[in-house]
Amino acid sequence: MSDRPTAGLPDQSGRTWVITGANSGLGAEIARAAAAAGADVTLACRNLDKAERVAGRIGASARVAHLDLADLGSVRDFAAGVEPFDVLVNNAGVMALPHRRTADGFEMQMGTNHLGHFALTGLLLPRVRERIVIMSSLAQNWGRIHADDLNWERRRYNRWAAYGDSKLANTVFGRELARRLTQSGSPVRAVLAHPGYTSTGLMGQSETPVDYLMKAGAMLRVGQPAAQGALPALFAATADVPNGSYWGPNRVLRGTPSRARYRAAADDQRVRDRLWSASEELTGVTFDV
């Protein structure tokens, strides 16, 4: 995928991937493509019935394991059963939900999209051999990091602002993880990606007027199918790209993988440090980097 990312992945024979949220949409396409290139894939999912159907279509190289990122107990149970592997793809997510709380009392979007993945990555890091891919979103462009109120306890809740905050947190976390990996001399790389405007099951479920815009976008084919939206993450997972780099569609909303722009906040060390400290405190997970 170095110069023609749509032509297929490099040979993944003998390598193992763990992909969160692989029961549908982008995660399912990432799992399918990795397995088609020869990898063994673990579909780490909350909905086991859907995950089993995806695994059945992939074949013997796919296995399913239960993971609910909105429950740190589930995250720890999953991590305890994982053997050393090559690629972790932090793909699972929720979008624009009504105000809800995780099993641990976190705001659901921050808890699932960022804090769950933060804890998972920290617990699995000693067993990752090569690459961590963190899926962000164009929504990071309207997010803010309120490190002293990640869980919307002092602010009036807004579902779209909460989603943007969680995706900016993904970007900030990925950039800081890459810095710490480099500083510690680790061979593991943390690389970020976003899928542009991709039609998945997340779209049109917010119960707000934005749903109509998303449906219109899908009808007018402004976006792209999930198989195309998965390409930046697949590129980030397999190409020889810099640690901490960010990849998305070359035409922003759709297209083939190219370097993408992210918010300046993701390179503000004060923002990074405050988010990292708050995430450690909330999850109880620290990183060995």
Side-chain angles (χ1 to χ4, degrees):
M1 284 181 68
S2 59
D3 55 1
R4 292 190 62 196
T6 58
L9 300 182
D11 183 21
Q12 299 296 298
S13 299
R15 304 177 78 238
T16 304
W17 292 38
V18 173
I19 305 147
T20 69
N23 57 283
S24 64
L26 294 168
E29 292 295 339
I30 292 167
R32 180 199 58 76
D40 290 323
V41 295
T42 295
L43 283 60
C45 304
R46 181 177 58 84
N47 190 319
L48 296 182
D49 289 340
K50 288 185 177 180
E52 290 287 1
R53 289 196 288 271
V54 173
R57 291 193 292 270
I58 291 173
S61 61
R63 64 178 290 267
V64 171
H66 182 259
L67 170 65
D68 184 352
L69 289 161
D71 183 344
L72 291 180
S74 174
V75 173
R76 291 183 182 277
D77 289 346
F78 171 80
V82 176
E83 299 294 326
F85 65 104
D86 300 286
V87 178
L88 172 63
V89 182
N90 287 340
N91 161 80
V94 293
M95 183 173 74
L97 299 177
H99 195 192
R100 297 175 187 166
R101 296 281 172 185
T102 70
D104 304 280
F106 307 146
E107 185 277 316
M108 184 63 74
Q109 296 186 83
M110 184 63 73
T112 302
N113 299 351
H114 169 61
L115 292 170
H117 278 127
F118 179 92
L120 178 69
T121 304
L123 294 168
L124 291 181
L125 186 57
R127 280 163 275 172
V128 179
R129 287 189 283 252
E130 182 184 322
R131 196 76 56 97
I132 298 166
V133 177
I134 298 169
M135 188 73 83
S136 185
S137 164
L138 290 170
Q140 59 104 27
N141 287 306
W142 68 70
R144 295 183 63 188
I145 300 300
H146 298 266
D148 60 345
D149 190 26
L150 290 179
N151 291 310
W152 291 81
E153 293 167 332
R154 294 192 292 275
R155 292 172 288 159
R156 182 176 180 181
Y157 184 72
N158 178 292
R159 68 183 73 195
W160 282 107
Y163 180 63
D165 290 359
S166 73
K167 301 316 290 184
L168 179 58
N170 290 152
T171 309
V172 173
F173 166 52
R175 290 287 296 166
E176 177 61 11
L177 177 59
R179 186 191 72 82
R180 293 182 181 223
L181 289 168
T182 295
Q183 191 174 58
S184 70
S186 171
V188 177
R189 297 184 220 182
V191 186
L192 301 104
H194 79 81
Y197 188 97
T198 300
S199 298
T200 70
L202 289 181
M203 289 193 165
Q205 304 297 317
S206 74
E207 302 173 359
T208 71
V210 177
D211 289 347
Y212 297 104
L213 295 176
M214 289 185 172
K215 290 176 182 178
M219 291 176 60
L220 295 172
R221 296 184 180 181
V222 173
Q224 58 191 354
Q228 188 78 12
L231 290 179
L234 290 164
F235 188 79
T238 60
D240 185 12
V241 296
N243 191 21
S245 57
Y246 186 41
W247 299 84
N250 64 336
R251 287 179 285 170
V252 183
L253 296 183
R254 60 186 299 160
T256 55
S258 67
R259 289 292 287 264
R261 298 179 64 182
Y262 55 83
R263 288 280 299 284
D267 282 338
D268 185 325
Q269 195 60 49
R270 293 172 299 177
V271 173
R272 291 181 179 187
D273 290 343
R274 292 184 69 200
L275 177 65
W276 194 281
S277 295
S279 301
E280 286 187 333
E281 181 178 349
L282 288 167
T283 64
V285 174
T286 57
F287 284 60
D288 189 22
V289 288

